[in-house]
Structures are given as structure tokens and as C-alpha cells.
Amino acid sequence: DFLYAAVPAGNGGGALRLSISLEQVDAQISRLRRLVVLVSGAALGAALLLAWAMARGLSRPVDEMAALAGRLVEGDYDARLRNLSNDELGRLGEMINVLAAKVSESLSSLSHEKAQLSAAFSHMEEGVIAVDLEGKVLVINPSLAGLVKVDTEASRGRPFLEVLRQSEVGRFLEEALREDAVRTGEARLFVPEERIFQVHAAPMREDGRPSGVLAVLHDITRLRKLEIVRRDFVANVSHEFRTPLSSIQGFAETLKGGAVKDPAQARDFLETIEAEAGNMGRLVDDLLVLSEAESGSRPPNPKGVDPLEAAKEVLESLRPLAEKRRVRLELSAGSGPRAFVDPAGLRQILMNLLSNAIKFNKEGGSVRISSREAPDGVAVEVSDTGTGIPREALPRVFERFYRVDKARSRELGGTGLGLAIVKHVVEANGGTVSAESVEGQGATFRFTLPKA
């Protein structure tokens, strides 16, 4: 194959034709094609190599960022990106490091606050329970859980009535949920004994919308008992003073009305007035002693004392009363173990116990006092052969103004405060006191004191 080219030549109508073999052209084209392919391949290879290098440079920091994100997800908030470049990826890495630091700081603060809240929540004496809008328990603190005998974890997600089993508390929660308002009041729980609680149920809100109710239960049992004791105390004191005051007033009016002109009758009236005034004086003295013992305004000054030696002095002062009532006084021979007690307090204890044992004894009976070493200190016993104390009255004999035989107690000049004073003085000296009795056969009062 040839390539031809022709042009006119001269004036005679001739032509000039040239030709060249196409094999040469084809060979040249083949050489050019090979050169283009070679150059294109080299350029493509260089481009691929450059692209790989660039992709590698871009993917490494991205992989590091992905790895950092994974560590943050797993809770490693101290992880950070290192060797950051100065390009856009480097700035992105810096921002990720700042974000990780902020998250770590926020979580640390939240963890600290949660620990403080958990510690306060766990050690609160008040019972706390939170429920959601469906009445299911969100959380209950150990104080309330221990009170109603439930597990704090197992109670979550259960209806509050199944957890509390106390309808009065449930009523406050239901009203607070239904009305979306604070509800307060008192509730009595029987767990296992009756206790009185001040309940405060308040709605919880999340993003301005109701999310549940939080109830706090404050134990006011002791406060209510103190109110009852105070009320009874005022009533008892008023009653104790009314009788002698009425008697004094009545005899004084009688004397004023003319009985003073009769010397014998006037003397009897005056003796009665004197006796009643003496009863009132003893009552006031006992009230002052009891007040000091209860308030702790005069703390005991304990020393090593032999209770039997102290009992000898008390018995000597009570011997005329014992002889008058024909009661035999018996004291253990020898000396007993020494107790660590306030001497004046010990004499007060023994005076009340021994005088009661003599006053409420049978004619011809006996009173015995003994002392021995016990596991918990020094035990002192005062026994009598009197009428004894009924079984149902034993738990109350140490209450203020409680009398087993009220008529006889007043006749003998008792104020009803002696055993209450004994109890408080013994406890102020770190001891305990108890009573045993068989009705008709006498009673035994036992108190223990720390050993010297």
C-alpha cells in the first residue's frame, strides 16, 4: 500500500506524482503508539502511586480519630490524639482532643456529684422513694427499704403499693400523681411496731413536664411520744397538786369560818395542812431531782464506791421508819465489789428503793440488800416480803406518777416519782435497772453499775 500525492506540473498538462510506502507510515505510527502507551502507563502508575500516598496520608489520622472515638466509647476519657499536623485534619484532631477533655471533665464532675448524692441518699435517716407516672418505683433509699423489708434493687420497676404495702403512704403518692401537687401529712406504719411518719410527696418534672413523684418520710414517733408524755406529765402534776391544795384550801376555809376557836380541832386541821404542805414539798423536790436527772444539767461525778457501805448509811437513816412498821432490815455480811458510780446518786437510788421496800412491806416482814459481781458490772438487789406487784404493772413501775396502789401510796406520802428517779439516775451512771415480783410474795429490784 502506498500513499500518493499529485500536483499539476508545467504548462503541458502534466502532473507530478509522489508516493511513499505505507509500511513506513505504519511503522512510525506504531512507534508513536508504543511511546504514547509507555508514557501513559508511566503517568498512570505515578498517579496511582501519588494517589495511594495521599490516601495513606489522609486515612492515618482518620483511623487514629476513629480509634480515639472507640476508646472514648469504652470509657477511656484520658485518650488523646498525638503528633497532629497543621492542616484541616490536624485542626479537627485538636477539636476532638478538646471535646474529649470536656467530656472527661463533665463526667468527672457528674461522677463526683453522683457519689455525693448517693452517699447522702444512702445514709439519710429519712425514708425516700421516687415513682414514675405509672406508679412504678424508680428508686428507694436503704432507710425506707430496711423499714419495709424490701431490696433496693429488686424493688425498682415494681408498683409502689407492692413495695411499700402501706396504704396511707400510697394515698399521698397517688394524690400527688393524680393532682400534680405537693401533698403532706402524717401516716402510721406498722413495721413491725407502730411508727408515725411525716410524709411529704412532691411532683418531679423533666423539661417542664411531670415525670413522677418523690416522697420523703420523716420519723416523728419520738416527737409524738414526747408530746404525749408532756401532756400526761402536766395532767399528772396538776392532779397531784390538786388533792393537797384542795385539802389545804378546805381546812383553811374551815379555820377561817370559826374552827380556829376550837384549839383541839384547829390543831388537827393545822397538822393536816402541814402534812399536805409536806407532801407538796416532797413532790416539788422529786420533780426537781427528776428534771436534773433527765436533762443532764448536773452530770454524775463517779468514784469507786462499795454499794453495801452506802446502803449501811441509808439503812441507819431509815431504821426509825422500819421499826415503826416492824420491818426487819438485812444487809449482806462483809463488803461487796466496788462500783464506779456517783456517791450522791447511789444514795438517792438506795434511799428510794429501800424506803419503798419498807413502806410497801407487810408488818413483820423483811428487806434485804445484797451486792455481787456480775458479767456486766456490779449487781445490787433490794428484796422485800411485801404485797408484790401485779404482772401487768411491772412494765410500768418506772413511769412517772405510776402507782400500783394509788390510795396506799398517797397515804404513805409517796409522790409516784421515786422509781422514775431511780431509773434515770442509774442510767445516767451507765447502768440498768429492772424489777421482778410475784404478787403476794414480795418484789426484787435489781440495778447494775459499772465496776470500779
Side-chain angles (χ1 to χ4, degrees):
D1 291 330
F2 283 86
L3 175 63
Y4 295 93
V7 296
N11 296 322
L16 176 62
R17 188 191 70 180
L18 299 177
S19 66
I20 185 172
S21 174
L22 288 180
E23 289 181 359
Q24 296 178 12
V25 176
D26 291 339
Q28 189 66 23
I29 291 174
S30 296
R31 286 194 299 271
L32 290 173
R33 186 181 289 116
R34 285 194 297 271
L35 180 60
V36 170
V37 171
L38 180 61
V39 172
S40 298
L44 180 60
L48 290 175
L49 182 62
L50 180 60
W52 177 82
M54 292 178 65
R56 182 69 174 173
L58 291 173
S59 64
R60 185 183 298 109
V62 173
D63 291 341
E64 291 177 356
M65 294 177 191
L68 174 64
R71 293 173 65 182
L72 293 176
V73 170
E74 293 175 357
D76 183 7
Y77 299 106
D78 294 327
R80 298 291 184 272
L81 292 173
R82 310 295 179 188
N83 302 321
L84 297 174
S85 60
N86 295 323
D87 56 7
E88 289 78 0
L89 288 176
R91 289 193 294 274
L92 178 60
E94 290 178 1
M95 296 305 297
I96 292 177
N97 282 344
V98 172
L99 178 62
K102 292 288 186 182
V103 171
S104 177
E105 182 180 349
S106 299
L107 287 176
S108 177
S109 177
L110 288 174
S111 178
H112 182 66
E113 292 178 2
K114 181 181 179 181
Q116 290 181 330
L117 182 61
S118 178
F121 190 69
S122 299
H123 294 89
M124 286 178 64
E125 292 185 2
E126 291 80 4
V128 181
I129 183 172
V131 301
D132 60 16
L133 292 175
E134 297 178 354
K136 294 182 179 179
V137 176
L138 295 174
V139 65
I140 182 172
N141 74 331
S143 177
L144 184 56
L147 192 65
V148 297
K149 301 294 185 294
V150 297
D151 183 79
T152 54
E153 296 298 328
S155 61
R156 291 181 181 176
R158 294 170 55 193
F160 65 83
L161 283 177
E162 290 184 9
V163 175
L164 290 178
R165 300 187 299 276
Q166 302 291 336
S167 59
E168 289 194 50
V169 179
R171 177 171 55 84
F172 287 104
L173 290 171
E174 288 177 349
E175 290 179 358
L177 280 172
R178 183 176 62 253
E179 302 176 13
D180 190 26
V182 176
R183 288 291 175 266
T184 59
E186 293 185 9
R188 295 177 181 270
L189 275 65
F190 301 88
V191 283
E193 59 185 14
E194 182 182 6
R195 299 175 73 175
I196 306 171
F197 287 85
Q198 180 74 29
V199 182
H200 181 89
M204 298 187 298
R205 294 185 176 277
E206 186 175 341
D207 297 331
R209 294 176 297 178
S211 61
V213 171
L214 178 71
V216 179
L217 284 73
H218 180 65
D219 191 349
I220 58 172
T221 307
R222 185 172 179 273
L223 179 62
R224 288 291 177 264
K225 288 183 177 179
L226 287 176
E227 290 178 355
I228 294 172
V229 168
R230 179 183 57 81
R231 186 170 61 248
D232 291 347
F233 178 75
V234 172
N236 286 329
V237 169
S238 301
H239 179 74
E240 293 296 329
F241 275 105
R242 184 184 295 113
T243 300
L245 283 174
S246 299
S247 179
I248 291 173
Q249 184 179 8
F251 284 116
E253 290 176 353
T254 304
L255 289 171
K256 186 178 178 180
V260 69
K261 297 178 181 179
D262 185 349
Q265 191 178 30
R267 182 178 181 83
D268 291 339
F269 287 174
L270 290 174
E271 287 178 353
T272 303
I273 291 174
E274 182 182 15
E276 294 293 355
N279 290 336
M280 291 177 63
R282 285 191 295 273
L283 178 59
V284 171
D285 291 339
D286 284 350
L287 284 172
L288 291 174
V289 171
L290 183 61
S291 176
E292 288 180 354
E294 289 181 338
S295 65
S297 59
R298 186 180 296 177
N301 183 23
K303 298 178 181 178
V305 180
D306 182 356
L308 294 181
E309 290 296 327
K312 288 180 183 178
E313 300 178 11
V314 175
L315 288 176
E316 285 301 319
S317 64
L318 292 174
R319 194 169 297 279
L321 176 63
E323 291 175 353
K324 180 181 178 181
R325 299 189 60 80
R326 298 180 184 179
V327 174
R328 185 174 67 258
L329 303 178
E330 300 177 3
L331 183 67
S332 296
S335 60
R338 299 178 72 80
F340 192 62
V341 61
D342 181 72
L346 178 60
R347 285 193 294 272
Q348 197 169 50
I349 295 168
L350 293 172
M351 178 63 73
N352 280 291
L353 291 179
L354 290 171
S355 61
N356 280 352
I358 294 171
K359 291 177 182 177
F360 297 98
N361 214 320
K362 299 175 181 177
E363 186 174 348
S366 64
V367 174
R368 178 177 175 80
I369 179 169
S370 61
S371 174
R372 60 181 174 82
E373 189 172 344
D376 51 351
V378 177
V380 182
E381 291 185 358
V382 176
S383 304
D384 64 64
T385 57
T387 56
I389 303 170
R391 181 186 297 273
E392 63 275 9
L394 277 174
R396 302 189 59 190
V397 292
F398 294 102
E399 294 180 9
R400 291 176 292 188
F401 296 111
Y402 183 78
R403 296 182 175 93
V404 177
D405 187 344
K406 295 183 180 181
R408 189 181 180 194
S409 177
R410 287 198 177 92
E411 179 186 346
L412 296 173
T415 63
L417 295 173
L419 292 180
I421 292 173
V422 168
K423 180 177 183 293
H424 282 90
V425 175
V426 169
E427 291 178 350
N429 283 273
T432 59
V433 63
S434 60
E436 298 176 0
S437 178
V438 176
E439 194 170 3
Q441 298 182 17
T444 298
F445 286 85
R446 180 183 300 105
F447 63 94
T448 61
L449 296 169
K451 187 177 179 182

